[in-house]
Amino acid sequence: MTGLAASRLVGFVADELARTVQPAVSAFAAELAARGEGGVVGVLFYGSALRTGASDGLLDFYVLLDDLGRWDAGRLATAANRVLPPNIEYAESVQEGVTLRAKIAILSLDQFRRHARPESYDTTIWARFAQPCALVWRRDAPAAQAVAEAVAVACRGAAWWAARLGPATAPALAFWSALFARTYASELRVESAARPSAIVESARERYETLLRLAWEADDLAFGEDADGALTPVLDDDARLNAERAWRRRSRRAKPLNLARLAKAAFTFSGGADYVAWKIERHSGHKIEVTPFQRRHPLLAAGPALWRLWRTGVLR
């Protein structure tokens, strides 16, 4: 049953990835793919811009490669990406006279799959890609299938945690809301308490279907009552062990995010300004970037981030 259920989940994900987006977004993704000189498997588009259809803010792309060395980032950035993926870059594209701006994450497809599993200490991949996303550029049909299978791994990873960290019995949406509340709290975010529920409510039927498909793909038994409340069949030890495992991941999450922010300051042009924007967006603390910091982002980023951590701004 698990194999058939896994195929159904991949099919569900593949259909979602094929959703239509604005032509300008697809054209932007094609420009990014060209930078990989044939090494790009696919470009994923996700986040608030996908949900709302707005393109005047910062778009979010993930560029997945066969080989990180094919990306035009230089040896230092490539080496850093192998140690602490993904690399983050800022990019612009002019489409029909309008400038689009994007944050792009670069990593290999293998890295994506590894970090999408529930065993990973990095919760960001499965937390993001259990949410709606679109494959806005793909190299070919086999590449599209490979990306769909990788995103399905992320959906299974998220659903695995949702079953063990969520309520004992509840509607499907309650499991997702509880999970996203945990992941938001572990990152450098100052989102309102209503944010996780708002994300889930924006695609109710989608999240209800996805949870059942993912649990079935993992061969997790669950009951369902007449009102649609779900009860995953788990013993107390499974929940207790998951809580302990989550606490370990939660303790590492913010230091990991800080390390990625510091790395972002020197792995792409405009890195210091990006870090300042990121901190202000998620903490409300405005940082004025000095000329010295722009010239020497690596030297400046560490002390600045450490001061914010010590003062509690980034906790």
Side-chain angles (χ1 to χ4, degrees):
M1 173 182 171
T2 303
L4 181 59
S7 295
R8 286 199 296 267
L9 174 62
V10 172
F12 176 87
V13 169
D15 288 343
E16 183 171 75
L17 291 178
R19 66 196 298 170
T20 301
V21 300
Q22 298 177 53
V25 173
S26 297
F28 196 168
E31 290 180 4
L32 296 175
R35 291 178 53 186
E37 300 179 344
V40 175
V41 179
V43 179
L44 289 166
F45 176 46
Y46 73 103
S48 60
L50 174 65
R51 290 193 299 271
T52 65
S55 59
D56 56 345
L58 199 66
L59 308 180
D60 288 294
F61 293 111
Y62 258 61
V63 178
L64 306 179
L65 297 105
D66 289 321
D67 178 7
L68 293 174
R70 304 291 293 277
W71 188 253
D72 62 347
R75 292 182 179 179
L76 177 61
T78 300
N81 206 1
R82 291 195 171 101
V83 174
L84 184 63
N87 276 4
I88 304 297
E89 297 186 11
Y90 172 80
E92 294 184 356
S93 175
V94 178
Q95 301 293 333
E96 299 180 354
V98 177
T99 300
L100 301 182
R101 297 171 176 83
K103 180 190 73 176
I104 56 176
I106 301 98
L107 73 169
S108 73
L109 184 61
D110 284 343
Q111 287 175 320
F112 184 100
R113 281 191 291 253
R114 289 199 305 272
H115 287 268
R117 299 180 306 166
E119 298 89 351
S120 172
Y121 272 88
D122 181 3
T123 64
T124 57
I125 297 295
W126 57 253
R128 280 161 176 73
F129 291 97
Q131 299 178 42
C133 57
L135 183 61
V136 289
W137 187 92
R138 50 94 176 267
R139 186 169 57 200
D140 50 29
Q145 178 68 16
V147 173
E149 291 171 356
V151 173
V153 172
C155 293
R156 290 173 69 166
W160 189 95
W161 284 106
R164 289 157 178 81
L165 300 180
T169 300
L173 299 187
F175 285 94
W176 289 116
S177 295
L179 179 67
F180 291 147
R182 296 259 195 159
T183 59
Y184 273 116
S186 70
E187 295 186 30
L188 299 178
R189 294 178 180 268
V190 288
E191 308 285 0
S192 72
R195 178 66 170 169
S197 294
I199 289 176
V200 173
E201 289 290 340
S202 68
R204 294 177 59 93
E205 184 177 348
R206 181 255 183 197
Y207 281 107
E208 289 171 351
T209 301
L210 179 61
L211 189 65
R212 292 176 175 85
L213 287 175
W215 284 354
E216 289 170 357
D218 269 345
D219 208 18
L220 173 63
F222 61 93
E224 182 170 2
D225 67 20
D227 295 324
L230 306 179
T231 305
V233 180
L234 295 166
D235 58 33
D236 291 341
D237 285 342
R239 293 182 181 277
L240 181 60
N241 290 336
E243 285 287 352
R244 290 170 176 165
W246 180 256
R247 285 197 293 271
R248 292 194 294 270
R249 284 157 177 78
S250 183
R251 286 193 296 268
R252 296 186 184 191
K254 287 177 180 173
L256 183 61
N257 286 344
L258 286 170
R260 284 179 172 144
L261 276 174
K263 178 168 68 78
F266 69 95
T267 55
F268 70 99
S269 176
D273 293 285
Y274 168 76
V275 169
W277 169 83
K278 182 80 169 178
I279 290 172
E280 182 177 359
R281 181 188 180 195
H282 290 309
S283 73
H285 185 87
K286 185 175 179 59
I287 294 179
E288 297 293 340
V289 180
T290 67
F292 174 84
Q293 289 171 325
R294 288 193 176 93
R295 290 194 305 272
H296 308 285
L298 179 58
L299 293 176
L305 291 170
W306 175 248
R307 285 196 301 273
L308 291 171
W309 176 264
R310 290 291 302 273
T311 57
V313 171
L314 294 180
R315 293 181 186 176

